[in-house]
Amino acid sequence: MGFNKADDAGVYRINEHQALVQTVDFFPPIVDDPYAFGQIAAANALSDIFAMGGRPLTALNIVGFPLGTMPLSVLTEILRGGNDKIEEAGAVVVGGHSIKDKELKYGVSVTGIIDIAKIVTNSGARPGDKLFLTKPLGTGIITTAIKRDRADEELIRTVIASMSALNSRAAELMVKFSAHAATDITGFGLLGHAYEMASGSDVTIKLWSDKLPILQHAVDLAGEGMIPGGAADNREYLREHVRLAGSVPRNTEHLLYDPQTSGGLLIAIPQSNASEFGRALKSAHIYSQPIGEVVTRDLVHLIVE
Ligand code: CO
Ligand code: CO
């Protein structure tokens, strides 16, 4: 059905009503606990299927493992974490492939199915839509703090819980409430993925910085310089596309560019469904306040107030 590089997953029509959705993602560990890393990597890969409104069916594991220098039990735990998440998502692991690698890497290729009439792309946002974000920002900043030994156990638990949570429930609700557009927030950060949605939809996205969900301590840690490398690239890439109000606090600004792992869904919901959608998110214990709105195209694609 065409290949749009900015969409979350590839879509291949198999009959009049249905299409396959396919995606792949893998990366080196971002937390020390191998079981948690497996869960996070799988939740992250599955997210691209959910972002389009699809249902995951099968998964293939992808592993690079430093055989000989790392005990095999580490790999067993990673795969157990991945498998548990894939099962929770209602899909099954049908195989995979591993190679010997200096650096440990794990990820999943996921195939899902989707009702063609209900595909949610990132290019359908319309003026008037309200924007929702289903997970708090700050995973890049906090995992950087973990690497520099600046995060305590409680914060580590919190960020793991957030990154390993599936976007499945939010995705079901967005389809139910006729979302116009959606994408999941990953490496390009909130503004990077919002930019793809805004340019793809030929609209401007306005975000309200005081309504953003943010992980505890992330703002302070940003102020202490716990900024991941990718954030500067995101900022540079978006320089000409963002208008930032002077009222946005400097440390909150860092969250806008923070590369996320297994971030939430950014969803554009028609205004008429927005309050009911918010209530449904709330009863599912998902952040439910709108974080912004879609307006007609301005000189820039992104405005942050
Ligand atoms: Co994505
Ligand atoms: Co992806």
Side-chain angles (χ1 to χ4, degrees), residues 60-229:
L60 297 165
N61 288 320
I62 297 156
V63 176
F65 194 76
L67 205 64
T69 61
M70 200 179 273
L72 213 53
S73 59
V74 171
L75 181 56
T76 310
E77 278 301 285
I78 292 171
L79 294 176
R80 191 170 69 85
N83 195 67
D84 283 359
K85 267 300 145 186
I86 289 157
E87 257 182 34
E88 185 187 331
V92 285
V93 177
V94 291
H97 185 71
S98 58
I99 59 162
K100 196 172 164 183
D101 196 340
K102 277 199 206 79
E103 181 188 47
L104 174 62
K105 296 179 193 80
Y106 170 64
V108 189
S109 166
V110 188
T111 298
I113 197 151
I114 198 163
D115 179 343
I116 289 169
K118 292 182 183 166
I119 294 175
V120 185
T121 69
N122 61 5
S123 56
R126 296 177 213 167
D129 290 352
K130 289 281 182 280
L131 293 162
F132 292 82
L133 175 63
T134 65
K135 284 191 194 182
L137 299 168
T139 65
I141 290 164
I142 294 175
T143 52
T144 301
I146 294 174
K147 280 183 205 131
R148 298 186 196 163
D149 236 353
R150 294 290 304 277
D152 62 22
E153 282 304 315
E154 193 204 336
L155 185 57
I156 294 172
R157 271 198 303 275
T158 305
V159 74
I160 285 175
S162 181
M163 291 188 292
S164 60
L166 292 176
N167 282 325
S168 50
R169 187 73 187 118
E172 277 169 32
L173 292 173
M174 80 171 182
V175 172
K176 184 176 169 196
F177 288 93
S178 311
H180 283 157
T183 191
D184 61 332
I185 305 303
T186 50
F188 300 133
L190 174 62
L191 285 189
H193 293 278
Y195 172 71
E196 286 178 340
M197 183 183 283
S199 59
S201 309
D202 199 26
V203 293
T204 286
I205 280 179
K206 200 182 266 190
L207 297 172
W208 307 318
S209 62
D210 61 338
K211 294 289 189 299
L212 296 175
I214 297 174
L215 285 161
Q216 55 171 320
H217 304 310
V219 173
D220 294 339
L221 288 166
E224 291 164 31
M226 303 293 140
I227 312 291

